[in-house]
Amino acid sequence: QQGKDLVPPAIFRSDLSYAPASATQEPKIEHPRAAFIDALPEAGYDYDAINADVLIKSQVRDRALVTPSGMQFNALILPAVSSLRVDVAAAIEKFVGAGLPILFVDRTPARYEGLLDHERRDEIVRTHMAAARSAGARECGDEKVIETLRDLGVSGNVTFEPGRSAPFLEKRVGDARVFFFRNPDVESRRVAFATAGSAGAEVWDPWTGAIQPANVTTTEGRAKVELQLLPNQSVFVVMDSKLPVRSWPTSALFERPVRVAKVGEQGWQFTATGAGAGGRKIEVNEQMASLADWTTIPSTRDFSGEAVYSTRFTVGEELLGAHRRVLIDLGSLNDGATLRVNGKPLLLNPSPPYIADVTDQVQAGENQLEVLVYNTLNNMVAASAPGISGLRPAGLLGPVWLLARQVELED
């Protein structure tokens, strides 16, 4: 919530609404979804939406569109809009005359969006649009949006290397440029981008609070940043002239974690406390030879609550050398978990993959792992109905692996 958003283009949305059924809860534009919307971030452009009511209250200063709230955009894109309100059409003509780059995708609006007195108002809209086109507004196909933006002198936030992009947004907080990158995939993603300036950078992990130097190289007034995002990971990249520029070879930096040993082969001590069908109390304390779904175990079939899995594992001295990281991968689990290594608590991703860096908690030789797993009330409630239907998988399912990763960092 801090700082000022740095967003080059605004996208006009004639239907600014949110669909409850949408998993991503993205505002609608017009259907089908324009391909350039997905192409913008990959081309290094963050973007935001603007609707008619905000647009007519905005003004152009120094060739940039400034909204009443202070948001600033370097271009306005209308995605395949066929009709406009008269006041919006008039505002667009005025904005083009003031120097704002405006781009019509696939078509230039040619009619009024309502029915009342539509023939006269259709003509007014066409007149404004003709004037806007004469003053420099551009029309292009969906596939030419990025090229046209660049031709109009509208630069992106960053320039990604081919195949090394990630969804992002950018803000300015004080003198710093703050990027938020996320990896929506279940596989690691290598990100490499260049941006104007020669500032150093840090990578901030919003989940653990860890701050590390970023790998930055500078040349001809541009800074190139390389980082690796773990599956489902999000990070802040903070660029500031006060930070030193640090760089190192990337060959070892991006080595993937490798499996060293399976954890729990000798079994798990399993302790559970919760409730079952009808609210009856369930307490379990037993040795498990292997991990299993709670719903497949008679004593926990209808269990809702929390359980602790305990086991021991060995870490070789060779894994604790310089520039090495040791991780625990819990595999599959339902519905959430925390863990302790040698009695020290650790944060765990709230969504897969359930991997934790345990380098600072382990020691050479034998170590203790405790995993606290909890599920929702679903199984207790579902089992209270006749037939015990609707049970959901629960517990630590694994497999649990000890991982090692090589990381090269120069002082």
Side-chain angles (χ1 to χ4, degrees):
Q1 296 179 0
Q2 297 181 35
K4 176 184 177 183
D5 294 291
L6 299 181
V7 184
I11 299 177
F12 177 72
R13 300 183 187 251
S14 57
D15 180 15
L16 188 56
S17 62
Y18 289 81
S22 171
T24 57
Q25 294 291 290
E26 289 188 356
K28 295 187 294 182
I29 300 179
E30 287 190 0
H31 296 287
R33 179 179 173 89
F36 82 88
I37 300 296
D38 297 319
L40 281 171
E42 293 183 6
Y45 289 84
D46 190 11
Y47 66 90
D48 207 341
I50 188 169
N51 67 2
D53 292 334
V54 175
L55 187 64
I56 62 173
K57 297 174 184 176
S58 301
Q59 54 185 302
V60 174
R61 300 176 193 158
D62 298 325
R63 300 186 73 243
L65 183 66
V66 183
T67 70
S69 67
M71 281 288 292
Q72 185 169 312
F73 304 97
N74 297 327
L76 174 65
I77 304 174
L78 284 78
V81 175
S82 301
S83 60
L84 291 174
R85 288 168 22 183
V86 169
D87 56 353
V88 172
I92 288 174
E93 179 189 350
K94 181 179 69 174
F95 295 157
V96 176
L100 177 70
I102 294 183
L103 179 57
F104 300 114
V105 181
D106 289 337
R107 65 185 74 107
T108 299
R111 57 186 173 83
Y112 170 60
E113 68 174 25
L115 298 175
L116 181 64
D117 195 17
H118 68 88
E119 292 183 352
R120 183 181 68 85
R121 296 182 181 186
D122 285 351
E123 185 59 34
I124 294 174
V125 169
R126 284 193 289 269
T127 299
H128 285 308
M129 292 299 95
R133 290 293 306 276
S134 297
R138 302 277 288 274
E139 179 182 318
C140 72
D142 187 292
E143 74 285 354
K144 295 288 188 179
V145 170
I146 307 299
E147 178 183 329
T148 305
L149 282 174
R150 291 171 177 163
D151 188 48
L152 289 169
V154 181
S155 302
N157 305 71
V158 300
T159 302
F160 288 111
E161 288 189 359
R164 294 182 180 174
S165 65
F168 77 98
L169 58 83
E170 181 186 2
K171 286 195 167 192
R172 180 171 292 282
V173 181
D175 294 330
R177 296 174 65 189
V178 180
F179 296 88
F180 180 78
F181 287 95
R182 67 182 179 90
N183 179 9
D185 299 331
V186 294
E187 296 291 336
S188 295
R189 177 182 293 209
R190 183 173 176 179
V191 178
F193 68 91
T195 189
S198 55
E202 292 177 335
V203 178
W204 295 10
D205 189 324
W207 182 244
T208 66
I211 296 177
Q212 296 180 335
N215 187 13
V216 181
T217 54
T218 59
T219 179
E220 298 181 353
R222 291 182 66 80
K224 177 184 175 182
V225 181
E226 297 185 75
L227 62 149
Q228 184 181 30
L229 298 181
L230 298 175
N232 292 322
Q233 186 183 23
S234 299
V235 299
F236 292 104
V237 176
V238 180
M239 303 190 71
D240 195 322
S241 59
K242 302 182 185 68
L243 295 173
V245 175
R246 306 177 68 182
S247 63
W248 51 83
T250 60
S251 58
L253 174 64
F254 298 109
E255 285 188 4
R256 297 168 63 91
V258 295
R259 291 177 172 177
V260 175
K262 205 167 185 178
V263 177
E265 291 286 79
Q266 72 276 30
W268 299 80
Q269 182 62 40
F270 177 71
T271 304
T273 302
R280 82 180 193 284
K281 186 175 183 179
I282 296 178
E283 292 184 340
V284 179
N285 189 349
E286 61 186 41
Q287 183 73 19
M288 299 179 69
S290 60
L291 298 174
D293 184 344
W294 291 349
T295 63
T296 66
I297 304 172
S299 60
T300 57
R301 188 181 182 211
D302 57 348
F303 176 82
S304 289
E306 63 180 35
V308 177
Y309 297 79
S310 300
T311 193
R312 305 193 77 82
F313 64 97
T314 301
V315 174
E317 290 188 8
E318 70 281 0
L319 298 182
L320 301 178
H323 310 313
R324 298 198 176 199
R325 309 301 296 178
V326 180
L327 305 95
I328 291 284
D329 182 355
L330 298 182
S332 177
L333 63 86
N334 298 94
D335 289 301
T338 59
L339 72 158
R340 291 189 296 266
V341 174
N342 295 327
K344 302 171 185 177
L346 279 161
L347 288 171
L348 190 67
N349 289 337
S351 61
Y354 299 107
I355 298 176
D357 189 321
V358 298
T359 308
D360 297 332
Q361 288 74 31
V362 296
Q363 59 191 14
E366 192 174 65
N367 295 264
Q368 183 181 34
L369 171 66
E370 299 171 276
V371 184
L372 188 152
V373 180
Y374 48 88
N375 67 339
T376 68
L377 294 174
N378 178 84
N379 290 352
M380 180 189 73
V381 174
S384 299
I388 312 184
S389 61
L391 298 179
R392 295 178 182 174
L396 178 61
L397 308 180
V400 180
W401 283 93
L402 182 68
L403 310 178
R405 180 166 173 255
Q406 182 82 11
V407 180
E408 289 290 348
L409 295 175
E410 294 181 354
D411 294 330

